[in-house]
Amino acid sequence: MKIQVLVRKILSLLLFVILSLFLISCGGGGQDNIGINYTGSTERAIIDADNAAELALGGYFGGPIDENYWNMLVLDEQSEPFAKLRTIVPNSDTDIGNCGGSKTVTVNIDNTNGEFYGAGQFSDYCEDGVTTSGTVDIAGSADLNTGEIINISMESDQLTVASESSSVSISGKILNEFGPGSLIQTMNYLIRNNSDRKVYKIEDYKITTEIITTGTVEITFESGLYYHPVYGYVELESVTPFILYDGVYGVDSGELLVTGGAHTKALLSVINADQIEIKADTNGDGDYDWSSGILDLPYLKF
């Protein structure tokens, strides 16, 4: 086939990853050019009735969350056929946001082996009231015969995403590896709430997304550590995969186990797209002795 470089769809994938993996936090606050560093607790968190929900939700969403936050880590955009994100097209592309600013992706590809590198530049790019600023470095490889991306890494020193009342900055790297009907994501990043300046850490998250049947997607947390600046870190692992159905907003079912120190743990169970329940074993005896009750999560829908 005629070699064309990866840009319009890489640009779409960049936005997809930003919207799917990062959150908008409440409380406003500006940004600065100072690098993001994690200086919080590095001890294993002891899960109790006061922090179980915060740790479980934070691990699930990849950052702090309450009813004023939103995040799309495991929402319905994941159910889009991956091929839509993987087409080779011209080598540079710029879009203007519907509320201002611009986003540009430039990619260089080796037409002998399909390896590519480049960058995505977000210049106060505003879409539907959400503004993104910063640069994302891109590297990966593509199949020159099919025009499909095999893998792509995205790395940024400081990418800031903000709404009228919220602002977070992200520093780190995400690796996306595509297979037939599958996506494996490995994530290591820091996320700072620019209002209270607290920094949270995502370490060695491995999340597998697979198209099980037409219109049905299964998402599994294989492993990962979530660091809360006050409580410390917890380990994450799916008990049952999260299930998404095409055309349904939000996760339909699934369970995530969050393990802390002294044998404490929490279990996040998705009841439907709007509701979850979190149970916790706060004394390490193997039984769940605390429950959040049914939590309504209307902000998971968009």
Side-chain angles (χ1 to χ4, degrees):
M1 63 174 290
K2 181 179 178 181
I3 300 301
Q4 296 177 303
V5 230
L6 310 159
V7 182
R8 161 81 43 186
K9 292 303 179 182
I10 286 182
L11 189 151
S12 298
L13 182 56
L14 268 171
L15 290 175
F16 168 79
V17 169
I18 290 167
L19 292 177
S20 298
L21 302 176
F22 302 142
L23 59 91
I24 297 294
S25 65
C26 68
Q31 64 168 344
D32 54 38
N33 295 320
I34 299 174
I36 304 172
N37 296 292
Y38 182 80
T39 58
S41 173
T42 57
E43 300 295 322
R44 196 177 184 97
I46 303 299
I47 298 173
D48 59 31
D50 294 326
N51 64 25
E54 188 173 355
L55 288 170
L57 285 168
Y60 176 70
F61 285 103
I65 186 159
D66 62 25
E67 64 182 7
N68 295 312
Y69 295 79
W70 63 263
N71 177 283
M72 290 181 268
L73 178 59
V74 286
L75 298 187
D76 65 300
E77 283 199 56
Q78 295 273 18
S79 64
E80 291 293 325
F82 302 133
K84 289 184 178 181
L85 304 172
R86 302 164 60 193
T87 304
I88 292 181
V89 290
N91 66 348
S92 184
D93 188 81
T94 298
D95 277 358
I96 303 300
N98 61 20
C99 47
S102 64
K103 56 179 167 52
T104 301
V105 171
T106 302
V107 176
N108 299 287
I109 188 168
D110 185 331
N111 61 13
T112 65
N113 59 21
E115 294 182 357
F116 62 85
Y117 65 92
Q121 178 66 51
F122 295 84
S123 300
D124 294 328
Y125 175 73
C126 181
E127 191 77 6
D128 299 331
V130 178
T131 300
T132 305
S133 303
T135 300
V136 179
D137 294 323
I138 304 163
S141 63
D143 185 322
L144 297 179
N145 294 318
T146 64
E148 294 184 337
I149 297 174
I150 299 170
N151 59 72
I152 179 171
S153 68
M154 301 176 183
E155 187 169 6
S156 180
D157 289 334
Q158 184 164 314
L159 187 72
T160 296
V161 187
S163 68
E164 184 177 349
S165 60
S166 347
S167 174
V168 296
S169 294
I170 304 114
S171 171
K173 183 176 182 178
I174 297 170
L175 172 64
N176 302 276
E177 299 173 280
F178 295 95
S182 69
L183 168 63
I184 299 174
Q185 295 175 301
T186 305
M187 309 177 204
N188 288 276
Y189 63 84
L190 304 175
I191 182 164
R192 182 182 67 204
N193 182 336
N194 289 325
S195 174
D196 60 18
R197 315 302 290 177
K198 288 183 179 178
V199 176
Y200 302 78
K201 182 179 180 181
I202 298 302
E203 183 175 286
D204 296 333
Y205 266 48
K206 184 177 180 180
I207 299 176
T208 300
T209 303
E210 295 183 274
I211 297 176
I212 304 304
T213 61
T214 301
T216 303
V217 172
E218 183 177 278
I219 299 173
T220 303
F221 283 69
E222 305 287 354
S223 60
L225 300 179
Y226 172 61
Y227 285 77
H228 187 286
V230 175
Y231 302 124
Y233 75 89
V234 290
E235 295 184 55
L236 292 86
E237 184 179 9
S238 287
V239 175
T240 57
F242 295 104
I243 302 296
L244 296 135
Y245 296 107
D246 190 28
V248 176
Y249 291 92
V251 178
D252 184 75
S253 62
E255 292 182 313
L256 180 68
L257 181 66
V258 178
T259 305
H263 305 291
T264 59
K265 61 185 177 181
L267 182 69
L268 184 152
S269 301
V270 174
I271 298 169
N272 54 50
D274 296 314
Q275 296 178 316
I276 66 167
E277 181 183 11
I278 298 167
K279 297 185 291 184
D281 173 5
T282 65
N283 57 22
D285 66 358
D287 295 324
Y288 293 109
D289 53 78
W290 176 87
S291 173
S292 65
I294 304 301
L295 300 178
D296 293 323
L297 298 178
Y299 52 90
L300 293 187
K301 302 175 74 172
F302 61 98

